[in-house]
Amino acid sequence: MVKNIAIGTGRRKTAVARVFVREGSGKIVINGKDAKDYFATEEQVKVLTQPLLVTSSDSKYDILINVVGGGMNGQAAACLHGIARALVQIDPDARTSLKSNGFLTRDSRMVERKKYGQKGARRRFQFSKR
């Protein structure tokens, strides 16, 4: 049986990623698929590997990620957040480098809810004087 070294939860918009870090060779599996197959663009794959490159642990660990909700960019950022949090559990010394790059900060920007009596969150219906 494979043992998880660290577990991290990453969030961005409405996407939530559960990250499981194991001893291995640097393989990243997202929802049962390879990272390159799961994400549409190369930029999204680069985003989620940034914490591994900063801590120079890109070939030390295998990473298993379950991600739900949101779009592809939100999911990639949620994975980044989760990986960074898991790496801090493994090596507390890596916290300074991860924090200075902003990988431990949860990006809390979300879509504002639509209000009643309005067309959108802030957009009003057109005003008619007569």
Side-chain angles (χ1 to χ4, degrees):
M1 181 167 160
V2 184
K3 185 153 177 357
N4 294 328
I5 304 170
I7 299 169
T9 305
R11 294 185 186 88
R12 168 77 174 100
K13 290 191 177 183
T14 56
V16 180
R18 290 183 316 186
V19 179
F20 304 96
V21 180
R22 301 170 174 173
E23 292 283 340
S25 57
K27 197 169 66 173
I28 300 174
V29 178
I30 303 166
N31 291 352
K33 291 183 182 177
D34 189 58
K36 289 177 179 69
D37 298 332
Y38 185 78
F39 287 116
T41 64
E42 194 63 40
E43 263 91 68
Q44 291 165 340
V45 178
K46 279 182 185 165
V47 162
L48 73 103
T49 55
Q50 282 176 333
L52 297 168
L53 297 171
V54 167
T55 56
S56 65
S57 55
D58 47 335
S59 57
K60 285 184 191 172
Y61 308 113
D62 281 347
I63 297 173
L64 182 76
I65 304 172
N66 294 329
V67 64
V68 290
M72 284 306 193
N73 285 326
Q75 286 189 354
C79 292
L80 169 134
H81 189 224
I83 290 169
R85 282 175 136 187
L87 289 173
V88 167
Q89 282 183 5
I90 296 167
D91 181 22
D93 300 332
R95 185 177 177 85
T96 52
S97 60
L98 289 168
K99 195 161 179 67
S100 63
N101 283 301
F103 299 148
L104 294 174
T105 307
R106 191 244 199 263
D107 193 345
S108 61
R109 294 177 294 174
M110 282 188 151
V111 178
E112 196 175 328
R113 76 175 193 87
K114 184 198 167 296
K115 277 58 161 212
Y116 58 88
Q118 294 183 16
K119 198 171 177 134
R122 300 193 178 190
R123 174 104 167 87
R124 311 291 209 277
F125 290 117
Q126 186 169 331
F127 175 70
S128 170
K129 197 167 189 177
R130 275 171 210 93

